[in-house]
Amino acid sequence: MWGDAFPSFLIGLREGLEAGLIVSVLVATLVRAGARSRLPQVWTGVLAAIALSLSFGAVLTFTAASLSTTAQEAFGGTLSIVAVAFVTAMVFWMRRSARGLAGEIKEKVTEALAMGAGVLVLTSFLAVGREGLETALFLWTTARAANESAGPLTGAGIGLLLAGALCWGLYRRVLRINLTRFFTATGVVLIVIAAGVLGYGLRDLQEGTVLPGGTAYAVDLSGSVDAGAWYSTLLQGVLNLTPAMTWLQVAGYVGYLAVVMTLFVRGVREQAGAGAPAPAGAGQRVGSGADGAVAGGKRAAAPRAAPPADPPSARPPAAVPPPTLTTPPTPTTAPTHRRPAWLIPVAVVAVPALLAGLVVALADPKPAVGETVAVSETACGQGFTAPEPGRQDFLMHNTGNQTSEVYLIDPSSNAVYGEIEGLAPGTTRDLVATVAGGTYAWRCVPADGKAVTSKAVRVGGAAGAHAVVPVSERDLAAPLKAYRAYVDRGLATLVTQTGKLSDDIRAGHLGAARADWLTAHRTYASLGAAYGTFEDFDQKIDGRPDGLPGGVHDKDFTGFLRIEYGLWHGEPAAGLKGVAQQLAEDSAGLRKAFPHQDFDSSDLPLRAHEILENTLQFELTGDTDQGSGTGLATADANLAGTRELLSALKPLLTTRAPRLLPTVDADIARLQKLLDSAHHGTGWTPVDRLDRAAKARLDGATGQLLEDLSPVPDLLEVRKSA
């Protein structure tokens, strides 16, 4: 959280100080002129600017939420680039203006005072509003980069409070701040932070398909750096440096840093060498003494001494006294109607809030409520008329007497735009789908009946709604055949290896048996034995002792894990002969039965996710380890099985989600690298001996791979057609 908070703290401090300096001088000048009655005009402008900034932040947040994931990435990346441009311009402006900032502000305030109330409101509004809008934009981009808002908001809040305290201190002539040094130091830090925001923005644009190279990594340290460690959190939060960065991110980061930092430092040196008179750093202060005057500065050693002259740029002509405010005569012919004091403050808050609400409403992520559509064998799609383009909320009401599935489809291609499963009779559920130009129909599929397709309707406008082209059992036939052939070859190898393991134990060669056990077990684990793939044989060959009355000593505890327990707990060969022989026989029995086992083709996409679910649940927790410490070797074999399965499904996935497999391939490579780092010759680091950082990296990489694999079952789901 604190890593995420620091950049926002710095921007809040700088922007708050910049706006606060202007307001401080504005207030001090009014006090000096004896015009305290006009202070509410200043605070009205400040209040209006704050309301505008908060409204702008709300618009950014809620309008982005209405976009698709890809569009959100592109939108966020674009605003990140804009934020970098604002921060860069601010840094250079503050570097140039720091020396004469107070004098310049005083001159403008004096002019505003002479021109009337409206200008006072406008001056304070513009002073705070510009900084507020920049702060809102920067906070939105940093919160999005951090994927949380608590840290950035906390940091910005602390920075703004500190800026307010500093400005109050300046006003009260308590503090002395070298503005030139302050803005130079924070400028250097902000340039580094902006480089990170630029890199993050470029990555967003890559993920939003605006820029290429999203899978071309220049740096990938995820195998050796713990993304959850405090130092990683700090680097990612402050500098937006991540363990994996693309070539474009690195080029943008390094290029921006090299060019902008060089120009900034060169400008600072030139400014220092110019020998500008009356540097603001040592003596420039903003405040009011006991007489309420805005002071150019007094030395602490000479209290009550007259302040030195203001810099030429800030000093009004000597002959011109402070402006005197006069009140125009009140007409006697008509009564004066004073506006309520609360009217203007309420208006300046309400107007931007209402405008922001209008913008958000126009981009409301809530879909338009559509008509109620009937779902049944006899009235499928009844009540459906051509909807308006955009996100629609259809109320699907089951008017039949069977539980049904219902799909919104393109009848020409059977592509699915939205679906509901298990809609019970008499119930109504929402189906939200995005509608664009094209043809649409409803397909109702009763649990025990024939699928029915409704009459199609045509929606005008440009095409663009995303649909999933369904697969049939015929589509999955070729991948299933290829995968079954892979498993069959693996089972043949398994029979040979378990036979050798049994021979080792029978001969009393327990050292060789341990090595052969691991080889055979890895072979079995690579065959995707998840959720009962091999029916009852899986429990016999690789069952865990969980739930058995006798635990590891139960007579029904058999197979690989029972032999593992005996080999690594000093059990003599005589006690393991029967178990090893049984394992060899069960392996041979599985190979013989497998060609005749029922392997539903629709289950094939599920295995892409389930194999590694088992890995995360059992192998990476050490739950299956019976003493060998080879859980990571089993995880490595599970990964190999997943890779083989994805190879069989690749033709179907490529046409339906072309960006999915490159992302998954990168995830697999990252996880493989982590597993390889735990493999030392013929040995593997036990899960319980991994340090916390390594364990966190391994769990994180597996979890990310599972998340990226999660769309596969939906993409390749077999749906019943008419």
Side-chain angles (χ1 to χ4, degrees):
M1 174 176 169
W2 296 114
D4 297 331
F6 180 73
S8 300
F9 163 76
L10 196 60
I11 202 74
L13 176 61
R14 281 185 61 110
E15 298 281 15
L17 186 57
E18 184 178 342
L21 282 172
I22 299 174
V23 175
S24 296
V25 175
L26 189 60
V27 171
T29 304
L30 288 173
V31 172
R32 175 187 180 184
R36 291 179 179 270
S37 62
R38 297 178 66 176
L39 288 177
Q41 298 164 7
V42 175
W43 299 123
T44 297
V46 171
L47 188 62
I50 293 173
L52 178 65
S53 302
L54 293 175
S55 300
F56 178 60
V59 168
L60 286 178
T61 301
F62 291 106
T63 54
S66 67
L67 301 174
S68 65
T69 301
T70 301
Q72 284 188 42
E73 299 291 352
F75 180 68
T78 301
L79 287 187
S80 293
I81 305 300
V82 173
V84 169
F86 274 133
V87 172
T88 305
M90 179 194 70
V91 165
F92 280 91
W93 182 85
M94 293 301 285
R95 188 207 69 200
R96 291 193 304 269
S97 305
R99 288 180 179 274
L101 186 61
E104 179 183 343
I105 294 171
K106 287 165 63 180
E107 184 176 356
K108 291 182 178 179
V109 169
T110 303
E111 294 173 359
L113 182 60
M115 293 178 68
V119 177
L120 283 175
V121 174
L122 184 62
T123 300
S124 58
F125 171 77
L126 293 178
V128 178
R130 187 189 71 172
E131 319 310 330
L133 292 175
E134 292 180 1
T135 302
L137 177 58
F138 191 86
L139 276 178
W140 187 87
T141 55
T142 52
R144 193 172 185 280
N147 199 31
E148 59 100 7
S149 57
L153 289 177
T154 300
I158 295 173
L160 290 170
L161 288 174
L162 180 57
L166 288 172
C167 290
W168 174 253
L170 288 169
Y171 173 75
R172 301 299 301 172
R173 302 190 62 188
V174 172
L175 301 179
R176 299 181 180 185
I177 290 183
N178 186 321
L179 294 179
T180 302
R181 292 180 182 176
F182 174 80
F183 287 124
T184 298
T186 56
V188 169
V189 178
L190 274 178
I191 288 171
V192 176
I193 291 173
V197 174
L198 176 62
Y200 179 84
L202 292 174
R203 179 59 179 164
D204 269 357
L205 291 174
Q206 288 179 315
E207 293 180 350
T209 70
V210 176
L211 295 176
T215 58
Y217 289 97
V219 179
D220 188 355
L221 302 178
S222 54
S224 54
V225 174
D226 179 14
W230 67 268
Y231 54 84
S232 295
T233 303
L234 187 64
L235 285 175
Q236 292 181 60
V238 176
L239 305 180
N240 273 298
L241 291 176
T242 56
M245 297 181 70
T246 65
W247 282 105
L248 183 60
Q249 281 183 279
V250 172
Y253 186 95
V254 174
Y256 174 89
L257 200 59
V259 173
V260 176
M261 188 68 77
T262 300
L263 293 175
F264 183 79
V265 173
R266 181 184 300 169
V268 170
R269 290 176 177 174
E270 290 174 354
Q271 195 175 50
Q284 183 176 343
R285 294 176 299 281
V286 182
S288 64
D291 58 356
V294 174
K298 288 193 293 186
R299 297 183 180 276
R304 308 300 299 173
D310 290 333
S313 62
R315 187 172 62 245
V320 180
T324 301
L325 304 179
T326 60
T327 304
T330 303
T332 58
T333 58
T336 301
H337 297 283
R338 295 179 59 86
R339 289 187 299 266
W342 52 265
L343 181 61
I344 294 180
V346 169
V348 299
V349 172
V351 170
L354 289 174
L355 290 176
L358 179 62
V359 173
V360 171
L362 293 175
D364 192 353
K366 294 181 180 178
V369 178
E371 59 263 296
T372 299
V373 181
V375 178
S376 73
E377 288 184 90
T378 58
C380 183
Q382 193 173 80
F384 179 53
T385 58
E388 292 294 325
R391 294 186 74 211
Q392 299 289 335
D393 184 358
F394 299 101
L395 304 177
M396 310 307 299
H397 179 63
N398 190 340
T399 59
N401 56 11
Q402 293 190 57
T403 299
S404 299
E405 298 176 3
V406 60
Y407 306 106
L408 179 62
I409 65 169
D410 178 350
S412 62
S413 64
N414 289 323
V416 177
Y417 294 96
E419 64 182 295
I420 292 178
E421 297 181 353
L423 183 62
T427 60
T428 301
R429 284 164 58 186
D430 295 283
L431 188 152
V432 178
T434 300
V435 175
T439 305
Y440 297 84
W442 293 101
R443 177 162 293 156
C444 306
V445 187
D448 297 314
K450 184 180 180 181
V452 179
T453 302
S454 73
K455 180 181 177 181
V457 300
R458 177 75 186 174
V459 176
H466 177 69
V468 176
V469 179
V471 299
S472 64
E473 293 188 1
R474 177 179 297 181
D475 294 326
L476 286 170
L480 181 59
K481 181 179 179 181
Y483 187 67
R484 289 185 71 104
Y486 161 76
V487 173
D488 193 61
R489 292 192 300 272
L491 289 175
T493 302
L494 179 68
V495 170
T496 301
Q497 292 171 343
T498 54
K500 189 172 186 303
L501 172 62
S502 179
D503 292 342
D504 290 337
I505 292 176
R506 185 183 301 109
H509 301 153
L510 297 187
R514 294 187 185 96
D516 289 337
W517 175 90
L518 180 58
T519 301
H521 191 238
R522 280 171 53 81
T523 296
Y524 184 77
S526 69
L527 302 181
Y531 296 97
T533 299
F534 299 136
E535 298 178 355
D536 293 340
F537 282 100
D538 185 44
Q539 180 62 33
K540 296 176 182 178
I541 293 174
D542 203 39
R544 298 181 298 277
D546 307 350
L548 295 177
V552 294
H553 303 293
D554 196 279
K555 62 180 180 60
D556 291 327
F557 182 34
T558 61
F560 277 112
L561 300 188
R562 171 63 182 89
I563 295 173
E564 177 189 8
Y565 180 84
L567 288 175
W568 274 271
H569 283 83
E571 191 170 339
L576 295 174
K577 287 181 181 180
V579 181
Q581 179 62 34
Q582 186 62 49
L583 174 62
E585 292 175 1
D586 288 336
S587 299
L590 173 59
R591 186 193 178 193
K592 182 178 180 180
F594 179 69
H596 310 289
Q597 286 181 334
D598 183 20
F599 198 138
D600 192 338
S601 59
S602 62
D603 287 344
L604 195 62
L606 295 174
R607 298 293 181 265
H609 193 267
E610 290 173 346
I611 295 171
L612 289 176
E613 268 190 350
N614 270 11
T615 303
L616 188 63
Q617 182 180 359
F618 299 116
E619 271 66 49
L620 296 187
T621 59
D623 186 68
T624 57
D625 184 25
Q626 300 300 321
S628 68
T630 57
L632 296 185
T634 305
D636 182 72
N638 291 156
L639 185 61
T642 301
R643 189 185 291 112
E644 186 69 29
L645 179 55
L646 290 173
S647 296
L649 296 173
K650 182 176 181 179
L652 297 177
L653 290 172
T654 301
T655 57
R656 288 164 175 79
R659 291 191 296 272
L660 175 64
L661 284 180
T663 301
V664 168
D665 288 342
D667 292 342
I668 289 176
R670 192 172 297 119
L671 179 56
Q672 186 66 66
K673 188 175 180 180
L674 290 170
L675 291 171
D676 289 344
S677 67
H679 187 195
H680 315 288
T682 59
W684 292 79
T685 302
V687 171
D688 60 1
R689 294 185 188 176
L690 291 171
D691 59 66
R692 292 181 61 184
K695 181 63 166 58
R697 288 194 297 270
L698 200 57
D699 290 344
T702 308
Q704 183 63 54
L705 176 54
L706 280 169
E707 182 178 341
D708 290 334
L709 285 172
S710 61
V712 172
D714 289 333
L715 288 170
L716 302 184
E717 180 182 355
V718 176
R719 295 175 172 90
K720 188 176 180 180
S721 60

